[in-house]
Amino acid sequence: MIIDTHCHLFKEEYDDLEDILKQLEKEKIIVIINGYNPLTNKYAIDLANKYKFIYATIGFHPSNINEVQDESFKILEKQLNNKKVVGIGEIGLDYYWNKNNKEKQKEILKKQLDLAKKYNKPIIVHSRDAVDDVYNLLKKYNLKGILHAFSGSLEQANLFINLGYKLGIGGVVTFKNSKLKEVIKNINLEYIVLETDAPYLTPEPYRGKKNKPIYVRIIAEKIADIKETKYNDVCQITTRNVRSLFDLDL
Ligand code: NI
């Protein structure tokens, strides 16, 4: 079994969404679709309700906070009661694309961390050029989850691991000169989960094309390569990691 913990499978992105879903079902790939704004949260839930192999996480991404109103939080809270909604995400801080609204980003993130606490849900965290603020905030909450698209140093990896987080590893690990390889060599597989971030961050050799969850296998192969272990072991251990985080009815 193999699980893509992070993808955005929405019809706006894929003309061939039906075909992609059929293929995933046939290939027995489990996916967690991450919403990032009110609309995609609803899409993620609809797909998870329709397909057994799909789970949803919902939340407000730091780049989408202009779409968030007080009412949005009420809806989010209601949606968290859906059985196929297994976590809160994609949430976080992004000072790369938006550095003029840091306080607002933190406020929205905190509200969602409070909800994660209240409903005992794991979180999926986006952090770009904001690692110190993300770390300091997460340190105050006793939550668990995934640091999505991890691309930091070994030291940063260990800081988040010690807080109880798993590292989401995706396409970047296949890029030439990626520093991630050295980090992965030095951390236990027990702290790694697989992700694609489809439609973004397409792995080699498909870089430049649209990413798909099926490519999660390429990530597992690459990690097996780096860790000098078997592909099946990477699948098995990372699946176990996901199951320890999320309450998946597999
Ligand atoms: Ni994402």
Side-chain angles (χ1 to χ4, degrees), residues 35-205:
Y36 49 79
N37 64 359
L39 184 66
T40 55
N41 289 339
K42 189 181 175 314
Y43 286 165
I45 293 170
D46 288 347
L47 284 169
N49 283 339
K50 194 166 163 199
Y51 296 93
K52 193 169 184 319
F53 62 95
I54 296 178
Y55 296 86
T57 64
I58 55 173
F60 307 127
H61 186 285
S63 298
N64 297 79
I65 56 177
N66 289 339
E67 301 163 46
V68 178
Q69 292 149 359
D70 289 343
E71 182 68 19
S72 317
F73 276 98
K74 284 187 199 133
I75 296 168
L76 190 78
E77 196 163 350
K78 224 184 247 166
Q79 289 170 327
L80 285 174
N81 292 307
N82 186 303
K83 244 179 47 200
K84 295 294 290 285
V85 174
V86 294
I88 300 186
E90 177 172 353
I91 60 175
L93 299 175
D94 191 317
Y95 300 161
Y96 177 82
W97 291 110
N98 325 277
K99 43 174 103 51
N100 303 321
N101 62 354
K102 290 184 180 179
E103 287 314 309
K104 182 81 184 159
Q105 286 192 42
K106 282 191 225 171
E107 182 197 318
I108 300 275
L109 175 57
K110 277 193 227 162
K111 278 192 187 174
Q112 297 181 94
L113 297 177
D114 289 335
L115 282 178
K117 189 95 235 165
K118 182 173 171 187
Y119 289 90
N120 192 26
K121 296 276 187 197
I123 56 175
I124 297 184
V125 184
H126 169 105
S127 167
R128 191 156 183 203
D129 287 1
V131 68
D132 290 337
D133 281 3
V134 167
Y135 179 75
N136 288 326
L137 256 179
L138 294 186
K139 210 168 63 174
K140 291 187 191 138
Y141 287 80
N142 184 19
L143 295 167
K144 54 181 188 169
I146 297 171
L147 208 70
H148 146 65
F150 180 80
S151 62
S153 63
L154 180 60
E155 194 191 347
Q156 286 168 343
N158 282 320
L159 278 174
F160 285 99
I161 287 169
N162 290 335
L163 272 191
Y165 286 82
K166 310 277 186 216
L167 310 178
I169 302 297
V172 174
V173 74
T174 67
F175 298 173
K176 220 176 139 192
N177 303 326
S178 165
K179 293 195 190 92
L180 210 47
K181 290 171 198 147
E182 226 16 69
V183 176
I184 288 170
K185 251 186 213 165
N186 287 291
I187 55 173
N188 196 304
L189 269 179
E190 180 188 329
Y191 302 115
I192 291 175
V193 297
L194 307 174
E195 63 171 46
T196 61
D197 202 18
Y200 314 109
L201 293 176
T202 313
E204 292 290 1

